[in-house]
Amino acid sequence: MLAKLRISKLVSYTLPRRVCERRFLVTSNAFPNSEESLVVDAAESPELPSWIKDFISNKPSSNSVSDDEDFVIPSLASWVESQKFSRSRGEVSSGNVAEKSPEDIDRVCEFLNKKDSSHEDVVKELSGCDVVVSESLVLQVLRRFSNGWNQAYGFFMWANSQTGYVHSSQAYNAMVDVLGKCRNFELMWRLVDEMKKTESGLVTLDTMSKVMRRLAKSGKYNEAVDAFLEMEKSYGVKADSFAMNSLMDALVKENSIEHAHEAFLKLFDTIKPDSRTFNILIHGFCKARKFDDARTMMELMKVAEFAPDVVTYTSFVEAYCREGDFRRVDEILEEMRESGIKPNVVTYTIVMHSLGKARQVAEALGVYEKMKEDECVPDAKFYSSLIHILSKTGRFKDAAEIFEDMTKQGVSRDVLVYNTMISAAVRHSQDEMALRLLKMMGEEEGGLCSPNVETYAPLLKMCCHKKKMKLLGVLLHHMVKNDVSIDVSTYILLIRGLCVSGKVEEACLFFEEAMRKGMVPRESTCKMLVDELEKKGMGEAKLKIQSLVQFSVMTKSHSPLPVM
DNA sequence: TTAGGGTTAG
């Protein structure tokens, strides 16, 4: 197949020059359409990467997939099998922990999947489990069940009762985080109190930061601030400026600059703010489009004898980018230069990304050039943005080329890069390539590339959309093997996607599973499912769903659970 | 470790 390719010197390709120097344009008689051409590095790739070969051989023109036609890359399916538990790599940071036997996690899962109604039942169920508990096993189970606190907490309780095992502070913190994520704050606080009572007094700033962040994420801003104010007295965690920044950051990230500012004013006399404190607040005001307040805070920063730095200015750059006000962006960049501060890779990424979003692709790529002039080195996040922009503007081949090129430029790919490339491939109907990329992630060195829930989202969506039920099953299995727990947004995606495709039985299964995990269905989600069941004349299933919802409304109406 | 992603579509 490759023999048929025609390779010609690249003349006027629109990519930045440096990338193009060693590149050639590859066209093929098989693909007379110029869209099907591909840029490759002929000097360094005598052998094209296999997925590019597949990409070329896979006719993208035949996109229409008939209903229920299914395919699974055989290698992916077998790879899922062979990957069973080979993920212990990089998961125990503290070393010295005995390598658990590969079957342990699987056996635990079997028990946990039997019961997910209450954590007491889970504890009872586990009495028949003869697995030897280790810290790494606990962390893995908590990761795998991070959206199902019943099972996670039941297992956590049971593990603590096992002889020869005591929970580490890391395990406690992970459990606190799961409870916070599932919004079971009552149990979360009980656990923090339990930590305090242990001999070594396990509550640290790490614990409290998780608590504050989860509270803020649920809109419980005042409770987050109170947690900070009580922290030193109740748990012996020092409330210094480092800890204060953690609180500020949680409040700002979860969209309440007001609470952050208020806390700042309240604490000003007792805790000395540092330059990060000011930057967090400036960022918060910028994010809320309160430019005057951001400026005032910058003045206050100077009064406190901290010079605004690249982070300070970048917050302004980002805010004006978001407004689409590139004239002001230039003004800020000019102001930076006058203050002797150079933009860095973060600043450039923001500008490039925003220009791309505003469909000013040429200008966006110009930023890449400018950046090189400034000898600013691109990093993985920068490449991820570049790949995203190119893909969004229809230049998928260029995006794929950048993806290929980055390791040669000495930048290793991270999860975000893979996630971006996978969703780009799905967007351009390169399903098989997307799956190969997922497979590649597991083989990437360094362990920084484990797929997360965002990795799977576009793939799952594609399965629902194209009614590929077999592949959907393989992917769900793949998620479990990689300790990725299905969260609320994934359930929504599955339920809606399956409903739209008329796979209503499957949609019901996910709906019921989500409800068992304590997620509360949104009115519109219920309606969609019920309407679809009605349409199909599935009266019994409809009644089941309706009574399930009714029951949940009756029992859980006062708790702020994750809404699906 | 204070600044950078995407999601989501009728």
Side-chain angles (χ1 to χ4, degrees):
Chain A
M1 193 271 303
L2 277 175
K4 287 185 191 165
L5 293 175
R6 190 176 72 234
I7 298 179
S8 56
K9 188 91 193 272
L10 190 70
V11 187
S12 60
Y13 210 67
T14 36
L15 275 171
R17 224 171 302 117
R18 189 179 59 114
V19 180
C20 294
E21 279 160 8
R22 292 169 286 110
R23 299 279 178 279
F24 295 84
L25 188 67
V26 180
T27 51
S28 164
N29 292 343
F31 303 105
N33 182 350
S34 65
E35 268 295 293
E36 256 70 78
S37 64
L38 179 71
V39 180
V40 293
D41 186 327
E44 287 181 43
S45 306
E47 191 67 35
L48 286 173
S50 63
W51 63 265
I52 289 198
K53 282 186 207 162
D54 295 328
F55 178 34
I56 299 169
S57 62
N58 174 25
K59 286 205 176 202
S61 50
S62 57
N63 280 340
S64 55
V65 180
S66 61
D67 282 4
D68 296 296
E69 181 192 319
D70 220 334
F71 79 90
V72 178
I73 294 182
S75 61
L76 184 78
S78 58
W79 182 73
V80 168
E81 280 310 301
S82 69
Q83 277 287 303
K84 274 190 178 175
F85 323 122
S86 64
R87 284 187 24 88
S88 44
R89 154 186 69 120
E91 120 195 339
V92 187
S93 51
S94 53
N96 285 343
V97 177
E99 192 67 31
K100 66 186 179 303
S101 65
E103 298 80 20
D104 286 358
I105 178 77
D106 234 12
R107 297 232 296 284
V108 170
C109 282
E110 246 172 67
F111 280 98
L112 292 184
N113 286 330
K114 271 189 244 168
K115 284 271 188 270
D116 55 9
S117 46
S118 84
H119 62 271
E120 287 94 349
D121 287 346
V122 173
V123 177
K124 268 183 226 155
E125 191 65 40
L126 279 164
S127 60
C129 179
D130 62 348
V131 163
V132 177
V133 180
S134 67
E135 188 199 29
S136 75
L137 180 69
V138 173
L139 294 176
Q140 192 177 11
V141 170
L142 295 190
R143 215 176 321 129
R144 198 176 276 197
F145 290 89
S146 62
N147 287 288
W149 68 268
N150 269 330
Q151 290 144 308
Y153 191 63
F155 173 78
F156 189 83
M157 299 283 283
W158 171 81
N160 214 23
S161 70
Q162 299 300 104
T163 44
Y165 175 81
V166 180
H167 282 311
S168 64
S169 81
Q170 214 192 340
Y172 269 110
N173 287 346
M175 189 68 240
V176 165
D177 200 43
V178 170
L179 291 168
K181 189 179 186 180
C182 299
R183 306 194 185 187
N184 193 332
F185 295 114
E186 200 190 315
L187 207 50
M188 178 191 78
W189 278 119
R190 242 194 282 162
L191 192 64
V192 176
D193 284 330
E194 191 188 309
M195 289 172 77
K196 178 187 166 186
K197 286 181 202 133
T198 57
E199 237 165 275
S200 35
L202 293 169
V203 183
T204 61
L205 180 59
D206 221 27
T207 319
M208 294 311 292
S209 295
K210 287 187 158 71
V211 167
M212 294 187 293
R213 195 163 293 269
R214 291 301 181 187
L215 286 169
K217 224 181 170 76
S218 294
K220 296 172 177 292
Y221 303 118
N222 288 325
E223 290 178 38
V225 176
D226 290 344
F228 177 83
L229 296 174
E230 296 293 312
M231 195 170 79
E232 192 154 347
K233 203 172 70 189
S234 301
Y235 302 107
V237 177
K238 196 152 178 38
D240 55 11
S241 46
F242 188 87
M244 178 175 72
N245 289 346
S246 176
L247 168 71
M248 299 291 177
D249 187 51
L251 294 170
V252 164
K253 289 246 170 77
E254 305 310 333
N255 307 312
S256 185
I257 178 62
E258 293 79 10
H259 285 86
H261 191 208
E262 200 185 306
F264 170 77
L265 295 175
K266 197 165 172 180
L267 295 165
F268 194 82
D269 294 326
T270 44
I271 303 172
K272 199 173 178 297
D274 60 16
S275 74
R276 289 178 185 188
T277 320
F278 287 105
N279 278 338
I280 292 166
L281 289 164
I282 289 165
H283 173 232
F285 282 125
C286 281
K287 211 172 127 184
R289 303 177 59 194
K290 296 186 168 175
F291 298 108
D292 292 342
D293 291 329
R295 278 284 175 188
T296 306
M297 193 51 73
M298 193 160 126
E299 291 310 313
L300 194 58
M301 183 179 185
K302 290 178 190 163
V303 171
E305 298 192 319
F306 293 108
D309 57 16
V310 63
V311 177
T312 320
Y313 285 108
T314 301
S315 288
F316 283 97
V317 167
E318 189 198 6
Y320 289 124
C321 274
R322 198 168 285 161
E323 303 255 294
D325 193 344
F326 294 107
R327 196 182 52 85
R328 282 214 180 253
V329 170
D330 285 338
E331 281 172 20
I332 299 288
L333 290 171
E334 184 53 35
E335 193 181 330
M336 277 176 88
R337 264 188 289 276
E338 280 165 10
S339 313
I341 295 161
K342 275 185 144 185
N344 64 14
V345 64
V346 180
T347 324
Y348 282 119
T349 307
I350 290 166
V351 176
M352 181 187 67
H353 192 89
S354 309
L355 284 166
K357 243 182 169 173
R359 300 245 148 212
Q360 304 186 28
V361 185
E363 289 84 350
L365 294 174
V367 172
Y368 188 18
E369 289 296 328
K370 180 80 183 66
M371 186 171 149
K372 279 183 289 178
E373 274 169 33
D374 284 4
E375 292 177 328
C376 178
V377 183
D379 62 7
K381 278 195 161 72
F382 176 86
Y383 278 117
S384 162
S385 268
L386 186 54
I387 289 167
H388 181 248
I389 291 171
L390 290 169
S391 151
K392 272 271 184 174
T393 47
R395 293 168 63 174
F396 179 66
K397 303 289 191 301
D398 295 346
E401 194 230 354
I402 293 287
F403 178 83
E404 259 309 287
D405 193 63
M406 45 179 302
T407 44
K408 287 175 206 145
Q409 301 296 330
V411 182
S412 40
R413 301 177 188 122
D414 63 5
V415 202
L416 178 62
V417 171
Y418 270 101
N419 289 0
T420 310
M421 195 64 220
I422 287 173
S423 67
V426 170
R427 192 181 301 125
H428 289 85
S429 300
Q430 301 296 325
D431 302 348
E432 200 162 325
M433 176 176 159
L435 293 169
R436 278 183 205 287
L437 286 163
L438 177 64
K439 185 170 174 286
M440 273 169 77
M441 288 180 83
E443 291 153 0
E444 195 82 20
E445 290 301 312
L448 291 166
C449 263
S450 302
N452 56 24
V453 74
E454 284 95 16
T455 313
Y456 293 97
L459 295 166
L460 297 174
K461 211 173 291 174
M462 178 268 286
C463 290
C464 293
H465 182 63
K466 294 186 176 173
K467 305 182 188 185
K468 292 175 183 296
M469 294 301 113
K470 200 166 144 197
L471 181 56
L472 181 63
V474 170
L475 286 169
L476 291 167
H477 185 65
H478 196 272
M479 287 177 82
V480 173
K481 293 298 176 206
N482 285 284
D483 305 323
V484 176
S485 172
I486 305 184
D487 62 359
V488 199
S489 60
T490 312
Y491 276 115
I492 297 174
L493 171 167
L494 289 167
I495 294 164
R496 300 191 76 92
L498 290 165
C499 265
V500 167
S501 297
K503 296 278 180 189
V504 69
E505 291 97 331
E506 288 85 348
C508 285
L509 290 175
F510 286 115
F511 187 86
E512 288 165 26
E513 189 179 292
M515 292 208 55
R516 275 204 304 277
K517 287 192 184 172
M519 295 167 189
V520 175
R522 194 175 260 124
E523 182 102 17
S524 60
T525 314
C526 299
K527 192 175 181 303
M528 178 172 211
L529 195 57
V530 168
D531 286 355
E532 193 64 28
L533 288 165
E534 174 85 50
K535 209 160 60 183
K536 294 219 165 179
M538 296 163 70
E540 209 173 306
K542 193 184 106 177
L543 281 175
K544 191 179 171 194
I545 295 292
Q546 281 173 326
S547 61
L548 214 56
V549 173
Q550 199 65 42
F551 182 70
S552 124
V553 170
M554 272 158 47
T555 54
K556 294 172 182 167
S557 57
H558 297 297
S559 43
L561 292 158
V563 178
M564 64 170 179

